[in-house]
Amino acid sequence: MKIVTGGITKPKGFLANGLSCGIKRSGKEDLSLIYSENLANAACVFTKNSVKAAPLLVCQIHLRNKKAQAIITNSGNANCFTGKAGLAHAQKTAALIAKYLKIKSSDVLVASTGIIGKPLPFEKIEHSAKALVEGLSTSGWMKAAKGILTTDTGVKQLAVSLNLGGKTVTIAGIAKGSGMIAPNMATMLGFVTTDAAISSAMLQQALKIANEQSFNRITVDGCMSTNDMLAILANGQAKNKTINTAGADFKKFTQALGVVCLDLAKKIVLDGEGATKFIEIEVKGAKTEALAKDAGLAVANSPLVKTAAFGSNPNWGRVAAAVGSLGIASITEKNLKIDFSPFDKKKIKIIVNLNNGTKKASVYTSDLSYEYVKINVEYT
Amino acid sequence: MKIVTGGITKPKGFLANGLSCGIKRSGKEDLSLIYSENLANAACVFTKNSVKAAPLLVCQIHLRNKKAQAIITNSGNANCFTGKAGLAHAQKTAALIAKYLKIKSSDVLVASTGIIGKPLPFEKIEHSAKALVEGLSTSGWMKAAKGILTTDTGVKQLAVSLNLGGKTVTIAGIAKGSGMIAPNMATMLGFVTTDAAISSAMLQQALKIANEQSFNRITVDGCMSTNDMLAILANGQAKNKTINTAGADFKKFTQALGVVCLDLAKKIVLDGEGATKFIEIEVKGAKTEALAKDAGLAVANSPLVKTAAFGSNPNWGRVAAAVGSLGIASITEKNLKIDFSPFDKKKIKIIVNLNNGTKKASVYTSDLSYEYVKINVEYT
């Protein structure tokens, strides 16, 4: 497996584009389109928030056949808590893109990110849809990567290629943060393209595994979004032997997908709102991996730990209190051991040893700075 | 029931004192002593954090007979994660105070609050213990109230009196915040004195009820402390008919105790680190009170809701996302209704109607300001 350039249009048969339709007052890209020349197998994971935005409800319907050919995203407006009108807007967005692409509306996935509770200015999307489709190209990946951003300060992307039975398979992804990042997806959009030939069922399984090891292990502010989704399209153009079982090829594919997802997840943390430091919390000596993850997240979500990190203060007392707050009897002063890696201006590693088992997990977060408060006070 | 002046020495037979022994570099009071002339029935609730500070372990032993006569607190050092030496220091502190008071060491409760993980400078306590005991008086309640504070900006106290069968019973409390405040007690010390005659068993029950409706419904930063305790001493000097059952007198007593605890809890929130606003989240229309409380706490602990409140921004989308993050299927856009009371410079009320039942609960929190970050970056 190696990292390659070329973004989400590097896998064979994918085109992309992005442009500004005027939802964002800044004039930055706010529409993004990803398109596969042929109908692709598709898989998706959604936020566990029970308040789900309209586009997610549309995607859930469109994914019933586990196939899709395009993903249209608008940024600047979450189209969430927008009632029947919002649902109609999401459906109409899919239909509009389908019309210009000359594909079925049900093969278009829709995503939105931005402010909750304001009507989606659908007329702006309507006005720009034709240009968005006409501008699709193999070099449009950067525009597409920009079109999904909100408070992000930069594009998040990675492409890797691997060899599967003599064929080069490419997996590429883009993602956006950067607030409302918490496990169980949080405000995060991730789109992955691949030319791998893989069944829908195995694709869904691979995505679930990769997501659990990446996006579900990051947190910026502990807030779970209404709009998160991670979607993957696999169009089979690499012509590898179709992955139908959990064999060696599946393992290689899932591992590479995991690398892409973890890289994107870490980039989201690095670009967390107001983040000045990247914090890894490695919890080891746990009875189960789930417990290690929970302990890591308890530390990662502690405002006291996060403000201490902002101040470059190795305050292990706060780490101990956070781990203890899980209320698990076996976690006591006696067996708990906390270490900090040598301090770096931009990176902190906290190692928590529960001394109570052999399992471990790493969780990633950012610090809590003045800038985080500023961004979220002023964002409307 | 009426509010009375006179603090924790207002109930008959209680004396108090506070002074500076030098733990706090600021020279402010850092020792506090509460004393009952006769052995009192005692009850206590502790943090659910599995990492418990040394003084809590000592209290749990000293409370086996459900009686106590004095409470000694030091602030500025939590005596937590301090190993065997810390445990010995807590025991020696109790013994020292007992010696000067001429009571049994096991009748002294010990509490600490402050920085975690630094050795308790026991010699400073040792040096000042005699003066602390000698200075006990009925007018020492303000000094005692000051001696338990850490980053608090002011004293938190309330005293109320009520009539039980023709006798005047007084209940008075002091508390400290102001960071690491979360439900299940969090960093919070609360001490209540009463001259009511009530059995140990009923006293424990009353305290549990009052605590659940007050300190367990507040959160400043979602962090659970290692040192929390809420203790009550009831010395019976009011000579009311001893409360032995859950009858009318118990109800009246518990209600008055609830008023004291809720008042102290709200004062902790008002004085939350960096707080500029007091936020009440009332959740109604819930299937159970527990669910209403959980939903309220999800909103109260959301940094996005708290920063919006700091900016006086009625961002109900963030409230909806926080409630939805519980992942409960019945909480959807369709039935969820969110209202904000008219904005006030210092007070915000958020009303969340789940439209799914008849139960309700209120939860209290503060906003997330630049000052919160500042306090917690600089605190060491």
Side-chain angles (χ1 to χ4, degrees), chain A residues 336-354:
Chain A
L336 192 56
K337 191 167 178 302
I338 294 158
D339 284 304
F340 284 76
S341 64
F343 266 50
D344 181 292
K345 265 194 178 168
K346 298 211 158 175
K347 224 172 158 180
I348 294 178
K349 184 169 178 179
I350 305 172
I351 302 137
V352 178
N353 193 336
L354 305 180

Side-chain angles (χ1 to χ4, degrees), chain B residues 104-135:
Chain B
K104 284 198 289 184
S105 176
S106 62
D107 289 331
V108 178
L109 302 183
V110 191
S112 296
T113 177
I115 299 165
I116 300 175
K118 296 212 171 160
L120 183 73
F122 177 69
E123 68 291 349
K124 292 181 179 172
I125 299 175
E126 201 169 19
H127 187 261
S128 298
K130 192 162 181 272
L132 185 68
V133 169
E134 286 176 353

Side-chain angles (χ1 to χ4, degrees), chain A residues 45-57 60 77-82 110-117 176 179-189 223-229, chain B residues 304 315-326 331-333 336 338:
Chain A
V45 286
F46 297 100
T47 180
K48 286 184 178 146
N49 198 305
S50 65
V51 178
K52 284 186 175 63
L56 278 71
L57 303 176
Q60 286 176 332
N77 185 306
N79 193 13
C80 177
F81 236 94
T82 44
V110 191
S112 296
T113 176
I115 299 164
I116 299 175
K176 63 116 345 204
M180 261 206 200
I181 303 300
N184 304 319
M185 301 288 306
T187 292
M188 155 9 243
L189 293 178
C223 296
M224 186 194 282
S225 156
T226 49
N227 284 58
D228 304 327
M229 57 184 281
Chain B
L304 291 175
N315 194 318
W316 55 266
R318 293 180 180 180
V319 175
V323 175
S325 74
L326 292 175
I331 301 176
T332 62
E333 179 180 336
L336 191 56
I338 294 159

